[in-house]
Amino acid sequence: MEDTREVSAELHRLADAAPTNHFDTATVLTRGHRGLRRRRFLGVGGTIAGVAAAALAVTLIPNLTGTGNGDDPGVAATQTENSQFSPVPGVPRGEDGAGQRISKQEAERRCALRYPDAKKSLTDGTGFRSVSSHSYDLKSGQQKGGGVVLNSSSPFFCMIPGGDKPSAALVAAAKADPLPKNEADQLRNCSVNAWVDMTKWHIVVSDRLALTEKNYRGFSREMLIAVSPSGKTAIACQLPVDVVRGAGFGWGVTALRLDDLGTDYPRIPWPDGTQGKEIAAILPEGTDCNGNVCGRSLPTGWGQAPANTAKVVVQIGSGPAYESPLKDGWFTFTVMDKHSHTNAEPLKVRAYDKDGKLLSKLYPEK
């Protein structure tokens, strides 16, 4: 009897809050049962605190729709499907298809869907995740080095896709405007590169470098970190991403499943072989080096600093310091350093608290 009264009250509440166009008994009853099941779940499992957008630390609600190693993708996440994307066979839609732990075999299956002309296997690695870059096993006669256009029929790297294949119109729009200025178009381009519908995500932090110098137009770029509406998934995205300049987590576009941060995510590799606790992908791209002297450098990076970080400072040797954009613990930067220095001078990326105390060296220093 108690269940009946509770369901009845729930039906009246739902009818008042969200009336349907016509009285659909089956629909309203289903809603009532769903609400009842939700309250029972909370009663058994204890109170689960709501997670705000600022709570982007590792301690988050477990992803109850997670798929383990990815060989059994499971049921796609419930979401309003965007007609600009089509489903990828065997891959969950939306954020559930991002940052999945998957087998090498599954990664190769997805790469074959994205790059059907790339008849190569992937190199072995410590782990495979969807929405990350992984190198192909180079065959005899192929040479390493250089970037590869993502739409090339024979790429060096695979950007392992998620579960939302962008339409031809979206791909064309991203190609026509590879470095957009507004957030909606930036999320569109990141969606195209990730094969994850990020159009309703929000950008937490970003840094843009727009070079006007003739010889450096190719290095105009933006680094951004976007978070899903649920707060469970973040994606670091470099624009434009028409060229992947390296492989591994941290390059191009990288999904981070915040309730499943393993050692395969980009953590600081120290000279002694150990890894730091913080998430960071620092790419010390050098330019204008002639012998031991470098006229300019282009360091790029992103990550999640310690919780009490007040600023992240980027500096090469004794050159000028650059303060990275920082919000909710996330930082990202893309810098043109015009200070002349030797190529032996270290790149320093350091986190400080509000009192100027050094909290962490986010890039290995000898």
Side-chain angles (χ1 to χ4, degrees):
M1 292 295 293
E2 183 65 23
D3 287 352
T4 303
R5 288 194 295 271
E6 189 171 10
V7 171
S8 177
E10 180 69 1
L11 293 177
H12 284 291
R13 185 188 66 78
L14 288 171
D16 291 338
T20 56
N21 292 331
H22 64 280
F23 190 75
D24 186 343
T25 307
T27 299
V28 176
L29 186 59
T30 299
R31 292 178 181 174
H33 283 305
R34 185 181 299 121
L36 179 59
R37 288 196 300 271
R38 186 182 301 113
R39 288 192 298 277
R40 284 175 174 171
F41 171 78
L42 292 176
V44 173
T47 302
I48 300 179
V51 180
L56 295 176
V58 175
T59 308
L60 292 172
I61 298 175
N63 181 6
L64 300 179
T65 59
T67 60
N69 64 9
D71 291 326
D72 181 14
V75 180
T78 301
Q79 64 174 28
T80 302
E81 291 187 2
N82 187 334
S83 61
Q84 299 180 96
F85 298 88
S86 59
V88 178
V91 185
R93 302 296 298 272
E95 69 173 303
D96 280 354
Q100 285 181 296
R101 294 178 183 271
I102 57 178
S103 66
K104 179 181 178 182
Q105 181 181 12
E106 172 63 11
E108 290 178 338
R109 184 189 74 85
R110 298 189 192 185
C111 287
L113 293 174
R114 184 166 191 170
Y115 310 103
D117 295 329
K119 309 296 184 183
K120 299 183 285 265
S121 62
L122 296 175
T123 57
D124 293 330
T126 56
F128 294 86
R129 296 245 194 177
S130 55
V131 189
S132 67
S133 175
H134 202 94
S135 60
Y136 281 107
D137 188 10
L138 299 176
K139 303 298 183 181
S140 175
Q142 293 180 321
Q143 296 181 356
K144 295 183 179 181
V148 56
V149 179
L150 281 181
N151 61 9
S152 169
S153 62
S154 183
F156 287 105
F157 308 105
C158 169
M159 189 66 69
I160 302 173
D164 305 307
K165 182 179 180 179
S167 66
L170 275 184
V171 174
K175 185 176 181 180
D177 187 12
L179 192 61
K181 293 183 179 180
N182 67 75
E183 180 169 320
D185 290 343
Q186 291 167 359
L187 290 173
R188 174 203 63 201
N189 287 16
C190 290
S191 299
V192 167
N193 288 297
W195 280 33
V196 172
D197 181 4
M198 299 169 59
T199 54
K200 294 184 179 180
W201 294 31
H202 72 279
I203 296 175
V204 178
V205 65
S206 67
D207 194 25
R208 186 182 183 92
L209 176 66
L211 298 177
T212 58
E213 299 169 58
K214 183 177 181 180
N215 293 337
Y216 290 90
R217 291 183 186 274
F219 291 102
S220 294
R221 64 185 57 181
E222 180 162 3
M223 288 291 301
L224 62 88
I225 293 179
V227 175
S228 65
S230 74
K232 295 187 298 183
T233 308
I235 287 184
C237 177
Q238 177 180 306
L239 296 173
V241 199
D242 58 336
V243 172
V244 179
R245 300 183 183 279
F249 287 107
W251 295 86
V253 57
T254 303
L256 300 169
R257 185 161 285 186
L258 301 178
D259 56 2
D260 184 20
L261 291 173
T263 56
D264 54 342
Y265 274 138
R267 297 178 187 271
I268 302 303
W270 298 105
D272 63 0
T274 60
Q275 291 184 318
K277 296 180 180 179
E278 293 82 16
I279 301 170
I282 313 299
L283 316 176
E285 302 170 85
T287 63
D288 277 8
C289 288
N290 184 6
N292 291 323
V293 179
C294 296
R296 305 177 188 196
S297 295
L298 278 162
T300 302
W302 61 268
Q304 190 180 48
N308 55 337
T309 298
K311 65 179 180 179
V312 173
V313 177
V314 182
Q315 187 178 23
I316 299 180
S318 58
Y322 174 81
E323 188 170 331
S324 169
L326 173 73
K327 186 177 181 180
D328 296 337
W330 294 105
F331 68 91
T332 180
F333 63 87
T334 177
V335 184
M336 167 64 94
D337 180 8
K338 299 182 180 181
H339 173 69
S340 181
H341 57 274
T342 70
N343 59 18
E345 291 186 78
L347 169 66
K348 295 177 285 188
V349 183
R350 296 178 170 182
Y352 298 88
D353 67 11
K354 61 182 179 61
D355 298 319
K357 178 184 177 181
L358 178 64
L359 296 175
S360 179
K361 297 178 181 180
L362 298 170
Y363 187 71
E365 299 176 28
K366 295 181 179 179

